[in-house]
Amino acid sequence: MNNDQSMEKIWTKSFVFIFLSNFFLFLTFYALLTTLPIFVLEELSGSETQAGLVATIFLLSAIIVRPFSGRLLGDFGKKKMLIISMLLFMASSFLYIGINSLYLLLALRFFHGIWFSIASTATGAIAADIVPETRRGEGLGYYVMSQNIAVVVGPFIGLTLLQVTTFQNLFLVLSVLMVGAIVFTSLVSDPTAAKPSKRKLSVSDLFDGKALPIAAVASLIAFSYSAILSFISIYAKSIGLIEAASYFYVLFAAAMLLSRPFVGRLFDRVGPNIVIYPSIGLFAAGLLVLSIVQSPMMLFLSAILVGLGYGTVVPCLQTLAIQSAGKGRSAHATATFFTLFDTGVATGSYVLGLIATNFGFQQLYITTGIFMIVVVFAYKLMMKKRKETEVKNYKPVKIG
């Protein structure tokens, strides 16, 4: 890599605006994901399994729509579809204020998930197009920081507001914050133009085949991560650490943010393996520590380990998926990645909800920690197959 390439600018105006737009989108997503399980238990008198279903149904709609997102973004334009989906996501957020039954909540979650799917695919695809190709690992790592920060700000706002006000006021605040996302979205310059396709919808419009193996590994990570997303607030409340749960997300995000610049450069210069294997190990360690939490300090230790592990491995896998897809396929690769990622979270939210209901939260976190062994073998197999494919398709350049 020469000096001109390594100094290509990442933090352009459009990158900053797409960063902020994605931040507000995920802030609302994480705030709702953290507080709605409590809403189900306390306001709707539901069970832990039903609380998990609230996350599952949201992601189910996202999973159904996500494969079509790449084609939609290509046909109508990434920025145009992003603005439309952001507006409908905001409108959906307002509707939570009037919810008074589990069935209405599930229906709204399904509708809400549709627009989250399109919006999050669009922001990721636009970011991939904006970032210089020679600094894609580092640039997308910085972009994912918008989600990393939202991981702490969203739950922190949600759990803090619930201590001083009602769920209805919380939903109102989150809806108003989405206005910020729409403002920043309008300021983004989309570097690609819409290219309507006249051909019939095909499998390649729904999934990127080259990104699928990497996305499959990410889905396994997501399965275990759903134990954090869907149940950490309920778990903390059950062991008398609900106030400490807010700071769990602070340390979780801080660990991700502090490691991000170093990890992104290491990925670009040395390769993915030196980053991904240790990250999976740290994530597993954090989950196992959660299973034996007895004090705020142990909860905070698990937050740091999970933040370092999960916060590193996911952006690295997303970068690999986009790199595998090649030019002009960033939207399809992003859609493929998040389709499988959301599938992992949705499956985990429901399956792990059953484990929590029948065996308790400690067994839940032991199970997800040990499950990381499966992830290691899956990643190793995927990289082996990828290398074999590259060797098979390699064509030496003829000289003379």
Side-chain angles (χ1 to χ4, degrees):
M1 183 184 298
N2 58 47
N3 290 334
D4 291 337
Q5 289 176 323
S6 63
M7 293 306 293
E8 285 184 277
K9 193 174 181 181
I10 292 175
W11 291 95
T12 59
K13 287 183 179 179
S14 284
F15 185 82
V16 171
F17 291 139
I18 201 67
F19 179 99
L20 292 171
S21 178
N22 196 56
F23 166 70
F24 280 100
L25 174 68
F26 274 87
L27 182 157
T28 304
F29 169 71
Y30 284 121
L32 289 172
L33 203 60
T34 306
T35 56
L36 282 177
I38 301 174
F39 179 72
V40 171
L41 293 176
E42 294 186 355
E43 299 289 313
L44 304 181
S45 303
S47 66
E48 286 85 356
T49 302
Q50 290 172 329
L53 189 59
V54 167
T56 300
I57 201 71
F58 179 93
L59 293 169
L60 177 62
S61 65
I63 291 162
I64 293 171
V65 174
R66 186 86 72 179
F68 299 93
S69 298
R71 178 69 178 261
L72 286 171
L73 298 179
D75 284 356
F76 299 103
K78 295 170 186 173
K79 181 178 177 179
K80 181 178 180 180
M81 287 305 303
L82 178 56
I83 291 175
I84 291 171
S85 56
M86 284 286 196
L87 285 168
L88 288 166
F89 185 90
M90 179 188 68
S92 301
S93 301
F94 275 108
L95 295 178
Y96 286 97
I97 296 172
I99 293 296
N100 57 12
S101 78
L102 180 64
Y103 295 110
L104 283 176
L105 178 61
L106 293 177
L108 177 56
R109 291 295 281 169
F110 188 88
F111 182 73
H112 208 180
I114 293 172
W115 310 113
F116 173 77
S117 174
I118 297 173
S120 56
T121 301
T123 54
I126 291 173
D129 291 338
I130 292 172
V131 169
E133 190 173 348
T134 54
R135 301 182 69 186
R136 183 162 281 171
E138 184 180 359
L140 288 180
Y142 285 131
Y143 160 76
V144 173
M145 281 171 56
S146 61
Q147 295 166 215
N148 297 160
I149 299 171
V151 164
V152 54
V153 178
F156 187 82
I157 287 176
L159 294 175
T160 301
L161 284 177
L162 285 186
Q163 295 179 36
V164 297
T165 190
T166 64
F167 280 100
Q168 286 67 35
N169 286 335
L170 167 64
F171 299 147
L172 179 61
V173 169
L174 295 178
S175 302
V176 172
L177 288 176
M178 277 305 299
V179 175
I182 296 168
V183 171
F184 291 121
T185 297
S186 67
L187 299 172
V188 173
S189 296
D190 184 0
T192 59
K195 296 179 180 179
S197 177
K198 295 182 180 179
R199 61 186 175 80
K200 293 182 179 180
L201 194 68
S202 65
V203 174
S204 64
D205 291 315
L206 305 181
F207 298 99
D208 188 279
K210 294 179 180 178
L212 268 174
I214 301 162
V217 175
S219 73
L220 300 179
I221 294 285
F223 180 88
S224 288
Y225 183 57
S226 66
I228 304 292
L229 281 179
S230 299
F231 302 110
I232 192 68
S233 57
I234 302 175
Y235 178 45
K237 190 177 182 69
S238 71
I239 57 176
L241 296 176
I242 187 61
E243 293 182 5
S246 297
Y247 297 99
F248 175 95
Y249 292 102
V250 173
L251 293 170
F252 176 66
M256 289 191 285
L257 295 176
L258 290 174
S259 65
R260 176 51 36 214
F262 168 75
V263 168
R265 295 191 192 100
L266 192 64
F267 178 97
D268 285 332
R269 295 175 183 177
V270 183
N273 290 351
I274 197 169
V275 176
I276 289 177
Y277 282 121
S279 299
I280 295 173
L282 287 168
F283 186 30
L287 290 166
L288 292 173
V289 169
L290 266 179
S291 71
I292 56 172
V293 163
Q294 296 179 344
S295 67
M297 291 306 296
M298 292 182 72
L299 187 67
F300 298 157
L301 173 61
S302 69
I304 293 171
L305 291 172
V306 170
L308 289 172
Y310 170 82
T312 297
V313 71
V314 172
C316 286
L317 290 174
Q318 185 179 353
T319 302
L320 275 177
I322 292 171
Q323 288 177 337
S324 298
K327 292 183 178 179
R329 297 283 294 177
S330 62
H332 297 81
T334 302
T336 300
F337 182 87
F338 282 111
T339 296
L340 270 68
F341 189 87
D342 291 345
T343 301
V345 174
T347 305
S349 295
Y350 184 71
V351 173
L352 298 179
L354 293 175
I355 293 175
T357 300
N358 293 290
F359 302 102
F361 288 106
Q362 290 183 331
Q363 187 60 50
L364 166 69
Y365 290 111
I366 290 173
T367 301
T368 51
I370 294 174
F371 184 70
M372 287 299 103
I373 297 173
V374 175
V375 177
V376 169
F377 283 107
Y379 174 75
K380 186 174 182 179
L381 178 63
M382 182 272 295
M383 291 302 286
K384 182 181 178 182
K385 294 288 185 181
R386 177 178 167 147
K387 188 173 182 180
E388 289 174 352
T389 301
E390 289 175 352
V391 171
K392 183 178 179 180
N393 294 334
Y394 173 72
K395 294 181 180 180
V397 178
K398 294 182 180 181
I399 301 175

